[in-house]
Amino acid sequence: MALPAVGLWTGALDVVPAARARELAAELESLGYGALWIPEVAGRDPFVHLAMLLSATDRLIGATGIANIWARDAVATSCATKALTEAHPERVLIGLGVSHQNLVSGLRGHNYDKPLTAMREYLDGIEKAPYTAERPTTPVRYVLAALRPRMLELSGERTDGAHPYFVTPEHTARARKTLGAEPLLCPEQAVLLETDPGRAREIGRRYTATYLAQPNYVNNIKTLGFDESDLADGGSDAFVDALVAWGDVETVVRRVQAHLDAGADHVAVQALPSEKRGVPEDQWRELAAPLTALRAG
């Protein structure tokens, strides 16, 4: 798989009509972006969404960041991944994750217990899953949403690698050490083209506050040197600055390069919209040339 050094991570294509999402995907490909990551919470099914976006493009790699393992059983995931890969060879990368207790127990009614064991058993199910349709001619590819050492180790042992979310370049360096040299390491990095500190941190804090409500992220962030005072009320200025690369184009590019220098194979860049449910089209366009010029290693 010709995974580029930089791609885009966005939930914004979920808030526009499907036809517009397809148009934007085609434009992003024309701008030079080689990969597009889409999430799953309670919007479009990510496999259906990937099928729409991939069919509107010719080369773009479609990835899930992430497909929730509690949303479908292992056989369903295996079949969907194989179907997409058969239709779009070497253009599908499925990120799988255990999600969060409120989105599993609360939203879906499942028992969120022993997530590492659940993921291991899910991967066992994928390996054993039958498939009676036309088989893909290229390998099916998975990565895991992984933050802490044991999930990172599992991602390197059982899949193509890891997709850490809500992390810093320091975490990327640590993850690379845990994974070893070969597995893919594809962290997400939030960015914002805004040079006014007050406005940038207001938008950035809206992003960080969402994830500071999730114990998985909080526990990981605390291992990176932040304490309770950094995490209150959406995060201190220093915390927001560490998680969101805001400023001019050069500042954003420098942070993305820091992940690559720390050992990332690919950085999934998430441009934060200035308004809720906004689509950061202008940022995608302005960042396209400098980001797509970056190289890993």
Side-chain angles (χ1 to χ4, degrees):
M1 175 176 283
L3 191 66
V6 178
L8 292 181
W9 193 108
T10 184
L13 298 186
D14 225 18
V15 302
V16 298
R20 179 59 180 151
R22 287 164 54 84
E23 290 174 355
L24 284 168
E27 181 184 357
L28 294 174
E29 181 177 71
S30 73
L31 288 170
Y33 292 110
L36 182 62
W37 296 74
I38 59 172
E40 175 174 33
V41 180
R44 291 187 181 117
D45 179 278
F47 291 93
V48 174
H49 203 180
L50 274 190
M52 293 192 301
L53 301 177
L54 289 169
S55 66
T57 55
D58 297 315
R59 302 173 305 281
L60 195 71
I61 292 170
T64 58
I66 52 78
N68 185 346
I69 67 170
W70 307 93
R72 58 196 62 79
D73 66 28
V75 174
T77 290
S78 175
C79 290
T81 303
K82 287 174 180 174
L84 282 173
T85 303
E86 188 269 322
H88 306 282
E90 296 291 9
R91 295 180 58 204
V92 179
L93 180 60
I94 299 302
L96 300 173
V98 295
S99 190
H100 309 279
Q101 185 163 6
N102 64 314
L103 298 178
V104 174
S105 300
L107 181 64
R108 297 183 181 276
H110 297 293
N111 181 24
Y112 190 78
D113 184 40
K114 298 181 179 179
L116 184 69
T117 298
M119 179 60 81
R120 186 178 291 112
E121 292 175 349
Y122 198 85
L123 294 175
D124 290 342
I126 286 175
E127 289 183 1
K128 298 173 184 177
Y131 191 64
T132 59
E134 180 71 16
R135 292 182 175 273
T137 58
T138 58
V140 292
R141 301 186 188 277
Y142 297 96
V143 292
L144 300 186
L147 296 173
R148 305 295 290 276
R150 290 194 296 171
M151 192 67 81
L152 284 165
E153 289 168 359
L154 182 65
S155 69
E157 293 167 358
R158 298 288 300 277
T159 74
D160 290 273
H163 173 48
Y165 187 93
F166 201 62
V167 294
T168 63
E170 292 75 16
H171 182 275
T172 294
R174 183 186 301 177
R176 173 52 70 198
K177 186 175 181 180
T178 300
L179 283 172
E182 294 303 318
L184 288 174
L185 178 55
C186 308
E188 173 264 358
Q189 173 63 58
V191 307
L192 176 63
L193 290 179
E194 174 57 69
T195 57
D196 177 77
R199 180 61 174 154
R201 287 171 177 148
E202 176 189 357
I203 296 169
R205 192 165 281 114
R206 188 170 67 214
Y207 162 81
T208 57
T210 298
Y211 298 103
L212 289 178
Q214 303 295 351
N216 316 43
Y217 291 123
V218 170
N219 292 336
N220 182 62
I221 286 298
K222 287 180 177 178
T223 71
L224 297 172
F226 297 100
D227 59 28
E228 292 292 346
S229 65
D230 290 302
L231 308 183
D233 302 318
S236 64
D237 286 353
F239 176 76
V240 172
D241 295 353
L243 273 293
V244 180
W246 60 266
D248 57 16
V249 170
E250 182 179 353
T251 300
V252 166
V253 170
R254 191 161 55 242
R255 179 73 64 84
V256 175
Q257 185 64 58
H259 281 282
L260 296 172
D261 292 344
D265 298 290
H266 171 91
V267 182
V269 174
Q270 180 176 186
L272 301 181
S274 59
E275 305 297 335
K276 291 182 179 179
R277 295 181 69 84
V279 180
E281 299 176 46
D282 291 343
Q283 293 187 74
W284 291 339
R285 294 172 186 129
E286 190 170 352
L287 288 168
L291 285 182
T292 58
L294 296 179
R295 298 290 181 269

